[in-house]
Amino acid sequence: MPFTYNGLPSRVIFGQGTLARVAEEVQALGCQRVLVLSTPQQEGQARQVLDQLGELGADVFAGARMHTPVETTEEAMRVLSSLGADGVVAIGGGSTIGLGKAIALRADLPQVVIPTTYAGSEMTPILGETKNGLKTTQRTLKVLPETVIYDVDLTLGLPVAMSGTSGINAIAHAVEALYAKDRNPIVSMMAEEGIAALARSLPIIAGAPADATARSDALYGAWLCGACLGSVGMSLHHKLCHTLGGSFDLPHAETHTIVLPHAVAYNAEAAPEAMARIARALGADDAAGGLYDLAKAVGAPLALRDIGLNEGDIDRATEIATGNPYWNPREIEAQGIHRLLSDAHAGRRPETLEATDR
């Protein structure tokens, strides 16, 4: 079977206590004065990183926000310029990592990324930015972090609710990689392994958040799923989530968690091989139902109405999502997308087309 696989040039440090290596990794990139990035909620962790960097640390910018608003990036760029920083260290989840990428796009500076969630953005050359209420994405190696430090210890305190939604957000990357237009056997192998690692570890974490073995398994799965996202194109699920996040300001991980089973149900008939692999990785009979049951098992939200989407917004969301759709294994039909969003809004357990037809 002919295929093309593009490996991504990033350095990965994985283990426990690996945060201690941040200064040497910054030096290895040739940086002398780096800006540490975080959200306001994680400023304390950012200050600890700044202390570890010593003379290599310029300051902390703790203004990262969800969906990477352009105005936040512009503010960070002004701070970066005033400090004369020659690199960035981002600690946190997708919001902070997105800000680091947005800076790299504009200033072409090296990045060291320290993920504290399972979002997976650190392994991708993809940047999503929001401007005037619309989220747009682009793919360029300019935004791929040079070095990623995975420290399992930093995830031990990740709240149970965030662990579940962040982990299923990661699973979404691998799910769509399995039916991507440019899929290949290497990425498909990583995708199935990533889904399986998260599917077995997230329920354990929900009951025992400090279980270091489960946390390590989840972080390993998130790394694999993020690498899938970085290597192949995404489809309907990601388009829907970008629409809901960018235009309706819904929380990123929760949106992915709720939409994923419904997007999978929509595509089930058009991608049977992918569905079989997803179900196998989940240990479930049905891919869409298995994803919904996993979300329920970890206590994640199941309905878009519970995270801020009004029923009256479904028509507008359908219009945006179908206006400039990503490639998808099944044709994008407005009526089907409206039904998908209605089911996700209500939190109904999804059924595949085959199940519905019976």
Side-chain angles (χ1 to χ4, degrees):
M1 167 181 158
F3 66 88
T4 300
Y5 170 70
N6 291 312
L8 296 176
S10 58
R11 174 176 167 82
V12 173
I13 315 295
F14 190 101
Q16 289 187 258
T18 51
L19 181 61
R21 297 175 59 176
V22 64
E24 67 180 89
E25 293 300 326
V26 165
Q27 286 181 313
L29 292 174
C31 298
Q32 297 180 327
R33 189 171 170 79
V34 295
L35 179 64
V36 182
L37 309 174
S38 76
T39 60
Q41 294 79 11
Q42 290 186 274
E43 183 173 358
Q45 282 184 306
R47 295 284 172 194
Q48 291 174 5
V49 172
L50 186 68
D51 289 344
Q52 283 194 260
L53 287 168
E55 293 181 356
L56 294 169
D59 203 350
V60 168
F61 178 83
R65 290 170 54 202
M66 191 168 58
H67 307 306
T68 320
V70 169
E71 56 268 25
T72 298
T73 302
E74 291 171 347
E75 181 184 355
M77 289 296 297
R78 288 191 289 271
V79 173
L80 188 88
S81 178
S82 69
L83 294 170
D86 58 0
V88 296
V89 174
I91 181 166
S95 299
T96 304
I97 294 168
L99 176 59
K101 289 179 169 184
I103 290 172
L105 179 69
R106 290 161 173 80
D108 200 21
L109 296 180
Q111 307 169 71
V112 173
V113 174
I114 308 162
T116 59
T117 71
Y118 306 131
S121 175
E122 66 279 355
M123 293 305 298
T124 80
I126 302 168
L127 170 64
E129 296 184 283
T130 303
K131 184 176 183 179
N132 299 326
L134 288 176
K135 189 169 186 177
T136 57
T137 62
Q138 59 180 301
R139 182 182 288 259
T140 168
L141 286 175
K142 284 185 70 174
V143 306
L144 181 71
E146 280 76 8
T147 303
V148 180
I149 299 176
Y150 287 106
D151 190 334
V152 175
D153 292 340
L154 296 178
T155 66
L156 294 177
L158 190 64
V160 167
M162 191 180 297
S163 299
T165 55
S166 179
I168 296 174
N169 176 22
I171 287 174
H173 310 328
V175 163
E176 293 227 297
L178 285 168
Y179 54 67
K181 186 178 183 179
D182 52 351
R183 64 188 178 277
N184 62 72
I186 308 303
V187 170
S188 293
M189 178 176 61
M190 294 166 63
E192 190 171 344
E193 171 72 2
I195 295 169
L198 283 156
R200 64 177 174 257
S201 59
L202 292 179
I204 296 172
I205 290 167
D211 187 312
T213 301
R215 288 291 188 180
S216 180
D217 217 13
L219 198 58
Y220 163 69
W223 167 23
L224 291 173
C225 292
C228 293
L229 175 65
S231 299
V232 296
M234 296 289 111
S235 302
L236 171 64
H237 169 78
H238 281 77
K239 176 65 175 183
L240 289 172
C241 292
H242 291 155
T243 296
L244 293 168
S247 298
F248 301 94
D249 201 32
L250 300 190
H252 182 85
E254 290 87 344
T255 301
H256 276 270
T257 298
I258 294 167
V259 170
L260 182 60
H262 301 279
V264 166
Y266 183 92
N267 282 330
E269 189 175 58
E273 182 183 343
M275 298 303 140
R277 297 187 76 153
I278 295 163
R280 182 169 63 206
L282 293 169
D285 294 330
D286 168 68
L291 289 164
Y292 183 90
D293 293 343
L294 176 62
K296 192 173 183 179
V298 302
L302 302 172
L304 290 174
R305 66 186 177 193
D306 294 337
I307 62 168
L309 187 73
N310 298 317
E311 189 171 6
D313 292 331
I314 294 175
D315 288 347
R316 175 63 177 150
T318 301
E319 181 183 344
I320 297 172
T322 57
N324 184 27
Y326 297 173
W327 180 89
N328 193 62
R330 176 185 165 187
E331 184 181 354
I332 302 298
E333 304 159 337
Q335 183 177 353
I337 299 304
H338 193 280
R339 177 184 169 186
L340 184 165
L341 289 171
S342 296
D343 286 347
H345 179 265
R348 287 186 279 270
R349 190 176 191 276
E351 295 181 328
T352 63
L353 286 175
E354 298 93 328
T356 302
D357 291 341
R358 285 199 300 270

